[in-house]
Amino acid sequence: MRSAVVVGAGIFGGSLALRLVSSGWDVTLVEQYPPGHVRAASGGESRLIRFSHGTNDWYTRSARRALDLWRELERETGTELFVPSGVAWFFTGAHGWDDASERVLSEQGIAVERLGSDEGVRLFPSFDARGLDSILLEPEAGLLRARDATRVTSELAIERGARFVTGKALPDGDAVLVDANRLEGDRVVWAGGAWLAALFPELVDLRVTRQDVYFFGAPAGWQAPSVPGWVDFDNGVYGLGDLDGRGFKASPDREGPTFDPDRGERTASDEKEREAREYLALRFPALAGAPLVGTRSCPYSLTEDTNFLIAPHPEHEHVWLLGGGSGHGFKHGPALAEYVGKLLDGSEEPDPMFALDARSPGGGLRAPWIER
Ligand SMILES: Cc1cc2nc3c(=O)[nH]c(=O)nc-3n(C[C@H](O)[C@H](O)[C@H](O)COP(=O)(O)OP(=O)(O)OC[C@H]3O[C@@H](n4cnc5c(N)ncnc54)[C@H](O)[C@@H]3O)c2cc1C
């Protein structure tokens, strides 16, 4: 039986552990905090799952495949994880991302509708189309209950036989050191999210930033799934309807300050709140004066070009590094695990776009602007 040690029970590591143990591997999953914990990127309540990725076929296919696998996980765990709200994109610029997304979605048989900006009023209880050129609606996209999904993924992996080790792991050649225990496997995968770069400072170049999320108290009519998830691509703001009573989410997507995921204070900034409120006033006028009912702060771990990092360690061929979610990784979790499973058993070669090599800025898989 092949064996693997996976470090990190965020959605990347947890999904991989589940995939491997379900395929007959002997798996050890190491995590320093409980799966779904608040410090991890995967510990937020909700994440968008959308399929549009401009011209990029790989991410489009991966996100759509992931939806099927999320549905499978729902059936296997009896937990509602996917909320079928659709996702609406708002566009103002002539960058071509919208046309490219529409084309790639259509080529892959994924539902997509181009709406006039004035049609936003049929999606949201209050909508102002000022400045918008068009809306791209992905009716089969939606929301994921992220923290629940992260927790049940690891729980199912454990139920299927993965050994769970609590502790802070350190690299030790081609093995993993947890306290005095040296864990070895045919494959070792470091899926450490915002902690990955500090574990391999010579190899991994990730910027870790604090991202603040705001929830506003909205009246009846603003609940998900009747209100879609939304992304204003050019203004760099995204959000979703009130999910599970948490409030209407509106978050500026611009990259925040550098952040220490263990010790950093998680107090959302007043400046970003002001930006979120300005956006509500512009686009969803009925929410202009809505009270702030909650905030969350969590880390982005960003590669230069927003492509994930999936690469073997240059000195230890059986050790793999997996991360660089770059603010858009969650949705891919189970499909990414399927892909990485093939890399680990040698049935597929890693794509160079995920390599450790230096990246050129501005891949734009999340937004057209990347701040330096
Ligand atoms: C505010 C915000 C909004 C986002 N919105 C979306 C969205 O709408 N859609 C989307 O698809 N994605 C979104 N993302 C991105 C997505 O959440 C991340 O890409 C994804 O969760 C990354 O998962 P991960 O497993 O790589 O990292 P993490 O979830 O951070 O998990 C890493 C885990 O490794 C553990 N670990 C690290 N080092 C060690 C060690 N040495 N020993 C033991 N354990 C260790 C950590 O404790 C942690 O649990 C968003 C992210 C943020 C912050």
Side-chain angles (χ1 to χ4, degrees), residues 52-60 96-104 107-108 363-365:
S52 291
H53 287 85
T55 55
N56 196 299
D57 287 311
W58 190 94
Y59 286 93
T60 305
W97 208 87
D98 48 342
D99 292 338
S101 290
E102 190 178 9
R103 179 178 51 75
V104 174
E107 283 168 5
Q108 293 194 17
L365 288 163

Side-chain angles (χ1 to χ4, degrees), residues 10 16 20 46 81-82 84 97 119 152 156 163 173-174 184 187 192 201 220 236 267 269 278 299 304 345 365:
L16 180 61
L20 294 178
S46 51
L81 301 173
F82 173 66
W97 208 87
E119 290 179 89
V152 299
L156 186 58
R163 227 173 348 272
D174 54 9
E184 295 180 333
R187 300 286 180 274
T267 309
S269 89
E278 279 168 14
E304 280 286 301
D345 70 19
L365 288 163

Side-chain angles (χ1 to χ4, degrees), residues 64-301:
R64 185 59 191 80
R65 170 68 182 151
L67 177 59
D68 290 343
L69 296 173
W70 287 119
R71 294 284 212 189
E72 199 175 301
L73 184 65
E74 285 187 315
R75 287 191 294 276
E76 287 169 338
T77 60
T79 318
E80 277 184 35
L81 301 173
F82 173 66
V83 180
S85 63
V87 169
W89 293 82
F90 310 148
F91 292 106
T92 52
H95 34 64
W97 208 87
D98 48 342
D99 292 338
S101 290
E102 190 178 9
R103 179 178 51 75
V104 174
L105 291 173
S106 302
E107 283 168 5
Q108 293 194 17
I110 299 171
V112 59
E113 293 170 29
R114 175 78 74 156
L115 308 180
S117 56
D118 54 342
E119 290 179 89
V121 289
R122 71 175 174 82
L123 302 176
F124 299 89
S126 148
F127 189 80
D128 188 330
R130 236 176 316 158
L132 283 190
D133 288 336
S134 71
I135 298 173
L136 207 61
L137 179 66
E138 296 189 54
E140 291 167 3
L143 323 175
L144 291 163
R145 292 191 172 90
R147 185 156 49 93
D148 292 350
T150 304
R151 190 176 40 76
V152 299
T153 295
S154 285
E155 283 173 1
L156 186 58
I158 293 163
E159 199 181 304
R160 292 192 174 162
R163 227 173 348 272
F164 188 78
V165 174
T166 303
K168 188 167 181 71
L170 291 172
D172 183 17
D174 54 9
V176 173
L177 210 57
V178 185
D179 301 323
N181 299 318
R182 196 163 187 275
L183 308 175
E184 295 180 333
D186 297 327
R187 300 286 180 274
V188 167
V189 181
W190 292 87
W195 291 261
L196 190 62
L199 289 165
F200 298 94
E202 309 293 318
L203 286 180
V204 174
D205 183 16
L206 291 174
R207 276 182 313 123
V208 177
T209 59
R210 192 194 75 216
Q211 301 302 134
D212 298 334
V213 173
Y214 301 87
F215 298 89
F216 295 92
W222 287 92
Q223 279 84 19
S226 61
V227 165
W230 54 275
V231 183
D232 189 316
F233 186 75
D234 301 275
N235 283 309
V237 191
Y238 70 96
L240 43 105
D242 185 343
L243 178 64
D244 303 331
R246 178 89 178 139
F248 183 87
K249 181 170 171 179
S251 306
D253 196 23
R254 287 181 195 281
E255 289 151 18
T258 307
F259 189 55
D260 174 339
D262 283 309
R263 298 162 56 84
E265 291 278 346
R266 289 168 192 255
T267 309
S269 89
D270 294 342
E271 187 196 331
K272 288 267 165 70
E273 179 191 339
R274 204 164 39 250
E275 276 180 42
R277 282 192 177 284
E278 279 168 14
Y279 190 79
L280 292 184
L282 169 74
R283 195 64 71 218
F284 308 112
L287 299 182
L292 184 67
V293 294
T295 63
R296 284 295 294 267
S297 301
C298 85
Y300 274 175
S301 47

Side-chain angles (χ1 to χ4, degrees), residues 1-5 25-26 174 184-189 317-320 344:
M1 186 190 268
R2 290 164 302 182
S3 62
V5 181
W25 289 61
D26 176 65
D174 54 9
E184 295 180 333
D186 297 327
R187 300 286 180 274
V188 167
V189 181
E317 59 172 325
H318 297 313
V319 175
W320 285 73
L344 297 186

